[in-house]
Amino acid sequence: MRTAYLLLLGLIGISPALLVVDGPMIHALLVACAAVAVALVGALIRPGEAGHLASVIRPIAIIAAILAGWLMVQMIPIPIKSWAHPIWAGAETALGTPIASGITIDPGATLVAICRYFSAIAILFVATAVTIDRMRAERVLFWLVGATTLAAVVQIIHGLVAFEFLDEATDARIRTSTTALCALGVIMAATAAVRAIERYETRRTETDVPFTEFAIALSLALVAFGICSLSLAIFSPAPVTFAAASGLATVAILMGIRRLGFGLWAGDTIAAMAIGIAITIAIAIAELHAGSGDAMLRYASHSQSSLISITQRIIADTGWPGTGAGTFELLLPIYRDSSAVTVGMPAPTTAAQIAIELGRPALWAILIMTIVVLFLLLRGALQRGRDSFYPAAGAGCIVVLTLEAFCDASLFSTTVVICAVAALGLGLAQRVSRTNQ
């Protein structure tokens, strides 16, 4: 397990560097590393940890399998012509010969997307497995704070000296990814601060956690929180800042409920709030049926107006099965205007890209699955004794990522995926205590 744990820390540590070197080679290496880490966990995990891992990961495994199944259906040839993309019918007419048609317009691109999806699930599995141990969980939290704070520092320095690789004209992906890392950094740093306070308050003797150690840990967490907050306040669009504030509010509410001793009944109240949020999002998405698809694009940041209008046209032409995972960039040359510069540009938002590639029903299904995971983390944060801040942090990250999915396409960034699934795995592993504490 130690090797898998060190491999996870290595991925988190190098994640800020992937902001500038992301590409097919990096994706292939990430898949290989994830596969090795999963094999190591399977071979080295202790029986007690294996049983606990199975109990906490089972609901997530079911959800992940459902989405994986749909990705596979998109790629394979299907006999139902109404499901196949119209591009295959046009190809058959042009070539005058039958073609094995499927939902995706590019099976190769969809296969690559499936590999990236499985690598993300593998990292989530590894992160959950290695953070069952409390000491390893603490170190993973610290590394996440460090990685996200480093991204915030880069963002701030760019504002002072204008690094070329963060220039708006060169790569919108880097800017949106850095902003997303800062939003996650606010949650991680706040969690580290809560951890320092809790460890000091629950020490059994004066020598367990000396005041000096407590002061240093709390100060570092607050400095990281301040850096990430400053970066968000100065450089992030208002919708992303709102997403970060919502995630932070989730953590604060959970910690406040525990401090005030309201008990488990508050879990039902928070679950009702989560359902209310889901209904609100659903109502907003329902506006898509009225016309332009603004619900997915209304809060798009860092996107050209021409790219947004192109995406609106693609959404309007996309059937319910979608065009296939990983195919958005292949559609841009078809729909773009002659004067629009969209080569290599990401989708305006994650939600829009999912609706195009996987279909609008898949977007609804993913939102529902997200609410289920959020509910599990909320209940875990309220039912635990010590270390309740871990599932609370996971819930805060879920809120941030869900809202940010309607602001930009950062959830498809390799850097953001690594940090996000590591934080989620940490929350899932610690949502159920292995002891009575």
Side-chain angles (χ1 to χ4, degrees), residues 281-367:
I281 294 174
I283 291 174
I285 294 178
E287 294 178 7
L288 291 173
H289 299 290
S292 65
D294 287 344
M296 296 177 189
L297 301 169
R298 182 177 301 144
Y299 303 107
S301 57
H302 297 310
S303 295
Q304 302 174 4
S305 57
S306 58
L307 179 61
I308 293 176
S309 62
I310 291 171
T311 305
Q312 288 176 334
R313 295 200 299 271
I314 297 175
I315 291 175
D317 290 346
T318 300
W320 71 265
T323 62
T327 59
F328 176 80
E329 292 188 9
L330 301 175
L331 295 170
L332 286 181
I334 300 174
Y335 284 85
R336 75 180 183 93
D337 300 325
S338 58
S339 59
V341 181
T342 58
V343 178
M345 293 290 290
T349 66
T350 301
Q353 186 164 342
I354 291 175
I356 291 170
E357 295 183 349
L358 304 185
R360 282 181 285 272
L363 176 61
W364 281 80
I366 290 172
L367 287 173

Side-chain angles (χ1 to χ4, degrees), residues 32-116:
C33 289
V36 170
V38 169
L40 290 171
V41 169
L44 302 176
I45 190 170
R46 294 191 292 266
E49 291 184 349
H52 184 76
L53 175 63
S55 65
V56 299
I57 203 69
R58 188 177 295 112
I60 309 302
I62 295 173
I63 291 173
I66 293 173
L67 184 55
W70 177 242
L71 293 175
M72 297 298 294
V73 168
Q74 281 195 319
M75 191 181 68
I76 62 176
I78 54 178
I80 306 175
K81 291 296 183 180
S82 60
W83 284 25
H85 196 276
I87 194 173
W88 296 111
E92 286 185 356
T93 301
L95 297 176
T97 182
I99 296 177
S101 57
I103 293 174
T104 179
I105 64 173
D106 188 333
T110 301
L111 180 60
V112 171
I114 291 173
C115 291
R116 294 192 64 187

Side-chain angles (χ1 to χ4, degrees), residues 45 49 52-53 127-134 136 429-430 434:
I45 190 170
E49 291 184 349
H52 184 76
L53 175 63
T128 306
V130 302
T131 55
I132 290 174
D133 179 82
R134 290 181 66 200
R136 292 196 296 256
Q430 293 292 325
R434 296 177 64 195

